[in-house]
Amino acid sequence: MSAARPQAMKLADYRQPDFLIPALFLDFELHDTQTRVTAVSKVRRQGTHSHPLILDGEKLQLVSVEINGETVSAQATEKGLCLENVPDEFELRIVTHIDPLNNTSLEGLYKSGSAFCTQCEAEGFRKITYFMDRPDVMAKYQVKITADRQTYPYLLSNGNKIGQGELPDGKHWVLWEDPFFKPCYLFALVAGDFDLLEDSFTTASGRQVALELFVDKGNLGRAGHAMASLKKAMLWDEQRYGLEYDLDIYMIVAVDFFNMGAMENKGLNVFNSKFVLADPASATDEDYFNIESVIAHEYFHNWTGNRVTCRDWFQLSLKEGLTVFRDQQFSADMADPAIVRIKQVQVMREHQFAEDAGPMVHPIRPAEVMEMNNFYSVTVYDKGAEVIRMLHTLLGETGFRQGMDLYIARHDGQAVTCDDFVQAMQDANGIDLTLFRRWYSQSGTPRVEVETLYDDKRQQFALTLRQHTPATADQQDKLPLHMPVAIELIDETGSQQHILSLTESSQRFELACKGEPTLAVLAGFSAPVKVDFAQDSQELLKTALYGQDDFLRWDAAQQLLSESIHASVTDANSSLPEAVLALFSGTLDVAAEKPALAAEMLALPSFETLAQQKPHIHVDSLLAARHSVKMQLAEAFAGQWKSLIKVAPDQSYAYQREQVQLRRLKAVCLTYLAELPDSEAILQQGYQHSDNMSDTLAILRACQSANHRLFEPLMQDFEQRWGQDSLVMDKWFALHGSRQHPNSLASLQLLTGHAMYSINNPNKVRALIGSFAFYNTAGFHAADGSGYRFVTDYLMKLDAVNPQVASRLITPMLGFSHLDSTRQDLIVQQLARLLNHEPLSRDLYEKVSKALHLATSTDKALN
Ligand code: TRP
Ligand code: ZN
């Protein structure tokens, strides 16, 4: 790495492509270690210039290049191919060999078990053939696949099957054609033997669409929920957005080896099997929820992503922020809207705010990128969705839909920018969104300060909002933003709700109100900000127990709990404040009526959320404080925990709203119950009698977090029962990885040698090592630095296998800025060791170098 350090690409340097490739024919002769790829492109010069044709290509073995049938000699480099003096219009034929079997990066063409599959987003197509691997080059594709008939009975690609045939040597071939222009990141190929679940959907305009879901042999019984989810998503997009599916066939393939959740390839989605397969015995309510949401997400991309795509990768949030917002709307309609919203806000506060506070901070439309895979981030996805949500709040459902209609009508078939999207929203609504656009270029978490004053005489309630975004590692100067601040005023007679439009750095609002109200701000988390509002515990309690907005009630409850935890950091002997006791007894009283909300209100804020609330934390005392509050609550409400866990559904398991709510409430009660000395029999019986994975996992989690002595025997039993089931064993690995226990490092080391573990499988790595780094606070932050060292050692190994997965796993090592100086030093030592490791991927180099730069610059600032 010391020689040529990777360079950053800048949004400001964007230029339209020198050539266009309107048509591409791909011919694959599949072979484990030497697949032959023939790519025939129609190339056309764009504009008047004499630039060479530059094609991207990585890890390819070049066999031949022909221009209009004439062989040309071309020298490939590590990064691609440069063809000088080409005609203005010509046919380009390139033959390459690739090695899918040894492609452990899971990018390009690779093998997942015995099947071939592809992953091209963001820049993986260049590992398949030499091409202009950028989303603003769009082609019509024809794809021919040839392979052994026995091993690979299914040969799949995008679009419609237009031909097939047998060959004498036991091989067969299939020809596919995709009638829509698409960028190469949406290309897909799958070849293998599967079980196939078939269904169909009739669109609003009466077209029949064949639905095909491919799963590993033997898994057909676990495919039903994914198929049902797909049909719900197709119907929903017609009803909510008037968007219909556009091909005659929609295929989904589930694979075990996959870097992310799923991929929206046109007409042929490829999924991580964990977001497809479910049955009551092996999957939890959360799994069912995630499957429905990821299936919908990929389906919604067909319009927001595929039909209208990104001009360049800096615009990624154009499709991801918008599609996440759409899948969130869908989930809110399918499940419990308030609970769905709470989960999203937890992601923002735990992970996105943390990203803002670290070296990888970036705006939702990054201005500089070294490795694109690093920008599939919580900022681009989840904060991006929050920005779209703010537009929705400001424009209303009707205005937002008009903007969407105009956006689709104007840009169908094009590769466009985030600005184009906002422009469509602006034009359809006749409103000025100039100020709003700053959300796309400005990074960091804004802070909103609230000050109130009630005028008794005039019966006027005044509130002043001040906004300010602190400087971030990437950007010093910040401007005021345009954001909707939804509020609720609670008084004796009830409550009133308002949406305030904040545009200035300081703004005063007045509202008529009979009697001094209690104010609750940021209803529904109307803007992705941190609020500074000093409220006393009585006011928070009032909001939590009597507010209208469920999100605000939960938020007030979490604030009360957070404050009491932070208070017991400073005073270890402090007892629970009255308000917290009142909160719990008030919530427990209505738990049976509102089980879902009660469950969330009774759950302690996670360590990660607590950590984000303070500029500096002390790991050990914060952990101890959280535990002490948990213990006190366990004891204070012992009777209630015991009686509430009996409020279980009486029918057999179904993924159905009322049942899910009761199971969730029971799970929260169990986490307290497990802290009590006389809980063993209850937990043991609960485990024995459980007929579904949700309840089983709730018991195991409760035992794990309480360090209950049942944990190990139950885990052994669980392994006996599920030892051969890869997806279920991921849950087992995750429970081990996140277990805060003095021996956790030793057990982790042992488990990397487990028969079901493999460093080549991202789900396994995330389950075991990821759970340790992200959630095993005590183990990862061990004062002697052993946790940091272990993760760093592992990253060095993993980087050589799969840089994308390594680069996600390093995230917890980047959140050092709010740790004590000893831990900061320990992390910096490990990062420095990583920077000197050779070879180091571009993915890790970008993060490690930025982290070390931030560490040294804050050092200087402090001295
Ligand atoms: N576009 C995919 C989605 O959001 C994300 C994705 C899947 C991805 N696989 C990837 C991104 C590999 C980068 C690399 O649904
Ligand atoms: Zn997506």
Side-chain angles (χ1 to χ4, degrees):
M1 222 14 68
S2 40
R5 295 247 142 123
Q7 294 289 302
M9 295 281 295
K10 289 188 168 64
L11 166 59
D13 295 340
Y14 174 84
R15 282 197 310 128
Q16 68 162 37
D18 283 340
F19 294 87
L20 292 177
I21 305 179
L24 177 61
F25 171 70
L26 290 169
D27 184 351
F28 288 84
E29 290 164 67
L30 293 177
H31 184 282
D32 272 358
T33 53
Q34 199 183 77
T35 287
R36 185 183 173 88
V37 184
T38 305
V40 184
S41 306
K42 256 198 184 67
V43 186
R44 198 168 60 221
R45 191 181 300 272
Q46 180 168 233
T48 29
H49 59 79
S50 51
H51 300 159
L53 172 62
I54 297 175
L55 301 173
D56 305 293
E58 272 172 32
K59 305 231 155 63
L60 303 170
Q61 207 191 313
L62 181 59
V63 178
S64 64
V65 184
E66 284 172 37
I67 290 179
N68 291 331
E70 304 263 329
T71 301
V72 298
S73 71
Q75 204 55 52
T77 68
E78 298 252 271
K79 294 171 68 181
L81 203 55
C82 177
L83 302 173
E84 307 269 1
N85 305 317
V86 296
D88 288 347
E89 217 169 322
F90 60 101
E91 188 187 89
L92 175 66
R93 181 186 199 89
I94 300 181
V95 180
T96 48
H97 284 163
I98 48 180
D99 182 357
L101 185 69
N102 294 302
N103 178 3
T104 57
S105 71
L106 313 188
E107 196 184 45
L109 180 68
Y110 66 94
K111 293 210 79 175
S112 173
S114 52
F116 285 94
C117 69
T118 55
Q119 172 57 41
C120 295
E121 188 178 7
E123 299 175 325
F125 192 74
R126 63 188 65 187
K127 290 182 166 182
I128 293 174
T129 186
Y130 291 99
F131 198 69
M132 296 177 79
D133 188 358
R134 45 189 288 171
D136 55 358
V137 170
M138 294 164 79
K140 275 195 186 168
Y141 284 64
Q142 272 202 10
V143 179
K144 186 179 174 198
I145 311 168
T146 307
D148 181 70
R149 185 185 174 87
Q150 277 253 290
T151 326
Y152 307 104
Y154 292 105
L155 304 175
L156 313 175
S157 191
N158 321 78
N160 305 309
K161 195 192 277 189
I162 56 168
Q164 63 191 94
E166 306 289 325
L167 296 169
D169 50 356
K171 291 187 174 163
H172 67 146
W173 61 270
V174 174
L175 183 63
W176 293 85
E177 182 179 64
D178 183 351
F180 293 97
F181 281 93
K182 68 167 175 286
C184 62
Y185 83 87
L186 291 173
F187 163 77
L189 175 157
V190 174
D193 194 4
F194 302 98
D195 275 347
L196 170 58
L197 180 62
E198 289 183 278
D199 208 324
S200 75
F201 181 85
T202 309
T203 69
S205 62
R207 238 164 18 77
Q208 276 259 97
V209 181
L211 309 179
E212 300 188 347
L213 179 49
F214 298 85
V215 297
D216 274 358
K217 290 251 162 204
N219 276 332
L220 211 52
R222 291 185 182 179
H225 176 64
M227 182 63 89
S229 302
L230 174 60
K231 292 198 281 184
K232 285 181 189 168
M234 294 179 85
L235 184 64
W236 186 90
D237 216 15
E238 291 183 348
Q239 294 178 338
R240 189 68 172 261
Y241 285 100
L243 297 172
E244 263 185 45
Y245 188 60
D246 53 7
L247 283 166
D248 299 331
I249 179 169
Y250 193 87
M251 295 175 281
I252 292 175
V253 185
V255 300
D256 288 338
F257 287 70
F258 202 71
N259 280 346
M260 305 264 286
M263 181 62 212
E264 70 265 25
N265 317 301
K266 182 81 189 186
L268 177 56
N269 290 181
V270 178
F271 269 64
N272 187 325
S273 54
K274 97 184 230 176
F275 293 116
V276 172
L277 303 174
D279 63 19
S282 68
T284 62
D285 292 327
E286 199 187 339
D287 294 327
Y288 276 84
F289 176 90
N290 291 338
I291 289 168
E292 190 177 76
S293 125
V294 178
I295 293 265
H297 179 97
E298 306 312 330
Y299 175 71
F300 297 155
H301 267 316
N302 190 55
W303 280 97
T304 51
N306 301 4
R307 289 287 288 259
V308 183
T309 196
C310 301
R311 185 192 73 174
D312 55 78
W313 290 119
F314 300 101
Q315 317 295 330
L316 180 61
S317 203
L318 173 80
K319 74 176 176 82
E320 294 305 344
L322 179 55
T323 304
V324 170
F325 174 68
R326 276 152 49 69
D327 85 52
Q328 291 179 351
Q329 287 186 307
F330 170 76
S331 291
D333 285 355
M334 297 299 123
D336 241 301
I339 306 305
V340 168
R341 190 63 189 136
I342 287 168
K343 297 284 161 212
Q344 288 149 7
V345 174
Q346 283 171 333
V347 171
M348 288 296 295
R349 287 181 176 158
E350 274 183 27
H351 300 289
Q352 203 281 320
F353 287 179
E355 187 157 84
D356 279 348
M360 279 299 288
V361 54
H362 53 276
I364 63 168
R365 182 188 56 213
E368 275 193 48
V369 166
M370 207 179 275
E371 168 52 59
M372 190 52 215
N373 286 323
N374 283 341
F375 290 83
Y376 287 75
S377 62
V378 269
T379 299
V380 166
Y381 273 62
D382 297 81
K383 186 181 178 185
E386 295 300 323
V387 170
I388 303 291
R389 179 180 297 270
M390 286 191 283
L391 273 177
H392 182 271
T393 306
L394 291 168
L395 303 174
E397 172 71 14
T398 314
F400 186 80
R401 171 67 195 269
Q402 281 163 356
M404 278 294 289
D405 289 353
L406 181 60
Y407 169 66
I408 300 277
R410 207 181 250 179
H411 298 299
D412 187 10
Q414 300 176 0
V416 304
T417 64
C418 296
D419 265 326
D420 293 322
F421 177 80
V422 180
Q423 193 62 44
M425 285 287 155
Q426 172 162 325
D427 293 348
N429 287 274
I431 115 169
D432 184 2
L433 293 170
T434 312
L435 199 55
F436 188 84
R437 284 173 210 251
R438 286 180 184 162
W439 282 106
Y440 285 88
S441 53
Q442 183 164 299
S443 60
T445 313
R447 305 198 74 116
V448 174
E449 234 178 77
V450 185
E451 215 182 273
T452 65
L453 192 70
Y454 184 65
D455 183 338
D456 240 330
K457 259 193 236 123
R458 289 170 52 234
Q459 300 203 316
Q460 287 288 317
F461 182 71
L463 75 163
T464 305
L465 299 178
R466 287 190 196 88
Q467 60 163 312
H468 153 75
T469 305
T472 49
D474 65 325
Q475 205 176 51
Q476 284 304 305
D477 303 317
K478 308 283 183 178
L479 297 164
L481 297 158
H482 182 185
M483 64 181 87
V485 179
I487 60 161
E488 183 172 327
L489 298 179
I490 306 160
D491 60 28
E492 308 315 316
T493 57
S495 79
Q496 42 170 315
Q497 274 139 1
H498 300 274
I499 295 170
L500 310 175
S501 176
L502 180 62
T503 53
E504 318 267 314
S505 57
S506 173
Q507 229 169 310
R508 193 183 135 94
F509 302 86
E510 274 205 4
L511 299 155
C513 198
K514 293 198 173 82
E516 179 159 10
T518 290
L519 170 69
V521 283
L522 224 58
F525 198 64
S526 61
V529 302
K530 289 186 180 176
V531 174
D532 296 311
F533 183 21
Q535 273 186 305
D536 67 32
S537 52
Q538 283 314 309
E539 284 187 299
L540 289 173
L541 182 62
K542 195 163 159 191
T543 306
L545 296 181
Y546 309 112
Q548 273 292 306
D549 183 272
D550 283 349
F551 172 80
L552 284 177
R553 295 183 59 182
W554 168 79
D555 202 27
Q558 291 286 296
Q559 276 185 61
L560 273 172
L561 285 167
S562 303
E563 278 165 23
S564 73
I565 293 169
H566 291 305
S568 96
V569 168
T570 31
D571 175 10
N573 299 317
S574 69
S575 55
L576 285 181
E578 276 306 314
V580 169
L581 294 170
L583 169 73
F584 266 51
S585 53
T587 306
L588 285 163
D589 283 346
V590 295
E593 291 150 47
K594 278 201 126 186
L597 181 64
E600 299 313 321
M601 287 176 68
L602 296 169
L604 281 190
S606 69
F607 179 88
E608 295 72 30
T609 299
L610 293 164
Q612 283 310 311
Q613 293 164 348
K614 299 279 167 191
H616 298 287
I617 58 154
H618 194 273
V619 174
D620 313 87
S621 29
L622 185 56
L623 265 178
R626 186 175 182 277
H627 185 247
S628 139
V629 168
K630 187 185 178 200
M631 284 302 296
Q632 292 179 66
L633 289 166
E635 281 158 14
F637 299 95
Q640 283 95 323
W641 307 131
K642 283 177 195 158
S643 68
L644 265 179
I645 58 161
K646 298 189 189 111
V647 193
D650 43 17
Q651 316 95 309
S652 62
Y653 179 96
Y655 179 65
Q656 182 259 351
R657 202 174 302 190
E658 287 73 32
Q659 285 200 19
V660 173
Q661 295 177 340
L662 293 180
R663 280 191 289 269
R664 172 73 183 130
L665 177 60
K666 187 167 131 188
V668 172
C669 296
L670 282 169
T671 61
Y672 290 106
L673 188 80
E675 300 285 357
L676 299 171
D678 56 349
S679 58
E680 184 162 334
I682 302 175
L683 293 165
Q684 179 86 52
Q685 280 176 21
Y687 179 84
Q688 235 84 60
H689 293 146
S690 165
D691 68 343
N692 66 81
M693 186 53 77
S694 298
D695 286 338
T696 302
L697 218 60
I699 302 266
L700 291 174
R701 284 192 181 131
C703 291
Q704 189 239 40
S705 80
N707 259 317
H708 200 284
R709 62 194 201 88
L710 267 182
F711 181 70
E712 286 186 31
L714 293 186
M715 285 288 275
Q716 275 162 24
D717 181 272
F718 190 89
E719 187 190 4
Q720 285 282 310
R721 159 117 203 248
W722 294 106
Q724 298 311 307
D725 192 305
S726 173
L727 279 182
V728 178
M729 281 303 280
D730 288 346
K731 303 181 192 305
W732 184 85
F733 281 119
L735 281 163
H736 275 303
S738 56
R739 183 185 185 200
Q740 318 213 14
H741 188 269
N743 291 337
S744 60
L745 215 49
S747 107
L748 213 62
Q749 238 126 16
L750 203 67
L751 287 168
T752 54
H754 191 281
M756 288 297 273
Y757 188 83
S758 162
I759 195 172
N760 291 69
N761 185 310
N763 286 1
K764 298 284 172 279
V765 175
R766 281 186 286 255
L768 187 64
I769 317 291
S771 306
F772 176 79
F774 279 89
Y775 300 112
N776 193 333
T777 313
F780 178 64
H781 293 293
D784 61 357
S786 54
Y788 305 143
R789 200 175 329 113
F790 173 82
V791 171
T792 305
D793 287 340
Y794 202 84
L795 282 172
M796 291 178 178
K797 267 189 276 177
L798 183 59
D799 193 42
V801 174
N802 188 330
Q804 257 186 69
V805 175
S807 192
R808 291 195 167 260
L809 203 64
I810 202 178
T811 305
M813 301 270 292
L814 308 178
F816 50 77
S817 62
H818 60 310
L819 297 174
D820 54 83
S821 61
T822 318
R823 286 188 171 87
Q824 289 204 18
D825 289 346
L826 289 167
I827 291 188
V828 167
Q829 273 170 33
Q830 296 304 318
L831 290 173
R833 198 157 71 86
L834 206 46
L835 192 69
N836 288 324
H837 182 73
E838 281 188 54
L840 189 68
S841 66
R842 205 149 48 130
D843 313 55
L844 279 188
Y845 176 75
E846 178 169 39
K847 292 189 176 179
V848 175
S849 59
K850 280 185 183 170
L852 286 170
H853 181 78
L854 176 63
T856 42
S857 62
T858 38
D859 246 15
K860 277 188 205 116
L862 291 177
N863 291 337

